Amino acid sequence: MSRGKRARKKTSYCCVEGDRESSFVEFLVALYKPGENNIAFYPENSAGGIPDRIVKKALDNAHRDMSFAWFDEDFEPRESLSVDLRKRLAQCWLVDDAELEDFLSCPLKDMQGRFNPQKRKPILIVSNPVCCESIILQVLGRNAAVGKYQHDKRADQIRTLKHQLNQVFNGQEEKDFYLANLTKEGLEESRKKIELLDLLISMVSKS
C-alpha cells in the first residue's frame, strides 16, 4: 500500500531592520510554531540596514511562497527607497504605468496599502509612526507617546518611544516579556485592528 504524499511546506521569508524587530519575530515563531504548521520560515536580521538593503533581500527571496520586509518609516527623507528598487518592486506588484510616477514618489509607509492591496510579494511592513516601538506599544495595549513622524524631530521622537517601551519591559528580556504578557487569542483580536500586526502574523501563520 503506497503512502500518501506529504504536503509541501509553505516557505516564508522576512528581512527585518534590527534586533528589536527580530525579538518580536522570534516571539511570534514561539507562539505560532510555523514549523509545526507546515511553514518553513526563514527570518533574517539586517542589523540596521537601510530600506534598499532590506527590500532587496525580500525581493531576492520573492521566489518563496511569502516574502516580507520590515523596517521603520524614519529613514525618510534621508534614506528612502531608491528609484531602481522602486521600479523593481513595481514590476513585482504589477503597478500600472499610469500610476508609476505616483509610486516612485510615494512615502514608504503608504506604498503597501496604496499599491499592493492584493499582497503580492514582497510585502512591506513599514513601522509607523516613526519606528517599530510604536507598533509594539500598540500591540501591548499602550498608546505611543508621539504622534505623526516629523523628520526635524526624529531623534527626540525615537528617544521618547524607546524610553517608553523600555519602561514597559523594565529590564526583562523582550521575548520573555511578550510570552508572559501576550496570548495567541489576544493577538488574533488585536490583528483585526492593527494592520501591521496582521501582516506580521501572516508571516508565520496560515490564517
Side-chain angles (χ1 to χ4, degrees):
M1 184 174 177
S2 61
R3 294 180 180 178
K5 286 187 177 180
R6 181 180 296 179
R8 185 183 74 86
K9 276 198 171 186
K10 198 173 187 179
T11 59
S12 177
Y13 170 86
C14 179
C15 184
V16 304
E17 180 182 332
D19 292 342
R20 180 148 277 171
E21 291 93 341
S22 188
S23 292
F24 192 79
V25 169
E26 288 175 9
F27 154 68
L28 291 178
V29 169
L31 195 64
Y32 281 86
K33 297 178 172 56
E36 295 179 12
N37 291 286
N38 227 33
I39 299 173
F41 182 54
Y42 302 93
E44 182 173 357
N45 184 346
S46 76
I50 61 174
D52 267 22
R53 180 181 176 191
I54 299 166
V55 173
K56 183 180 184 301
K57 285 178 176 290
L59 282 162
D60 290 345
N61 280 271
H63 61 282
R64 302 189 187 278
D65 295 304
M66 299 181 288
S67 181
F68 301 81
W70 184 15
F71 55 95
D72 297 340
E73 74 161 332
D74 71 338
F75 286 102
E76 291 192 308
R78 61 189 174 88
E79 290 280 7
S80 190
L81 198 62
S82 68
V83 172
D84 287 347
L85 264 292
R86 284 178 183 255
K87 287 182 176 178
R88 189 175 165 192
L89 194 60
Q91 290 180 330
C92 291
W93 286 1
L94 305 180
V95 174
D96 191 272
D97 287 345
E99 295 184 303
L100 187 58
E101 186 175 347
D102 285 342
F103 179 78
L104 294 178
S105 61
C106 181
L108 290 172
K109 70 180 181 67
D110 297 330
M111 289 176 70
Q112 175 68 35
R114 282 187 61 189
F115 295 99
N116 194 27
Q118 301 88 353
K119 297 180 181 177
R120 295 187 174 99
K121 301 175 290 184
I123 289 173
L124 301 190
I125 302 171
V126 183
S127 300
N128 66 91
V130 189
C131 53
C132 71
E133 282 79 6
S134 64
I135 301 304
I136 294 171
L137 284 164
Q138 288 180 54
V139 173
L140 293 171
R142 271 76 166 180
N143 292 321
V146 304
K148 186 177 179 180
Y149 170 53
Q150 299 177 60
H151 176 63
D152 60 337
K153 297 181 179 178
R154 174 181 179 272
D156 287 339
Q157 288 183 318
I158 293 173
R159 190 180 304 110
T160 296
L161 288 167
K162 287 184 180 297
H163 177 69
Q164 184 183 2
L165 186 55
N166 287 337
Q167 281 191 314
V168 173
F169 291 139
N170 195 28
Q172 189 172 354
E173 288 291 328
E174 295 179 20
K175 180 182 171 183
D176 292 340
F177 182 90
Y178 299 140
L179 287 168
N181 291 275
L182 295 171
T183 64
K184 186 185 290 188
E185 293 74 19
L187 289 182
E188 288 299 313
E189 282 300 312
S190 295
R191 72 187 295 190
K192 297 174 184 176
K193 300 171 285 186
I194 305 173
E195 183 180 1
L196 297 188
L197 176 62
D198 181 55
L199 294 176
L200 289 168
I201 292 174
S202 72
M203 298 189 305
V204 295
S205 171
K206 290 184 177 180
S207 58

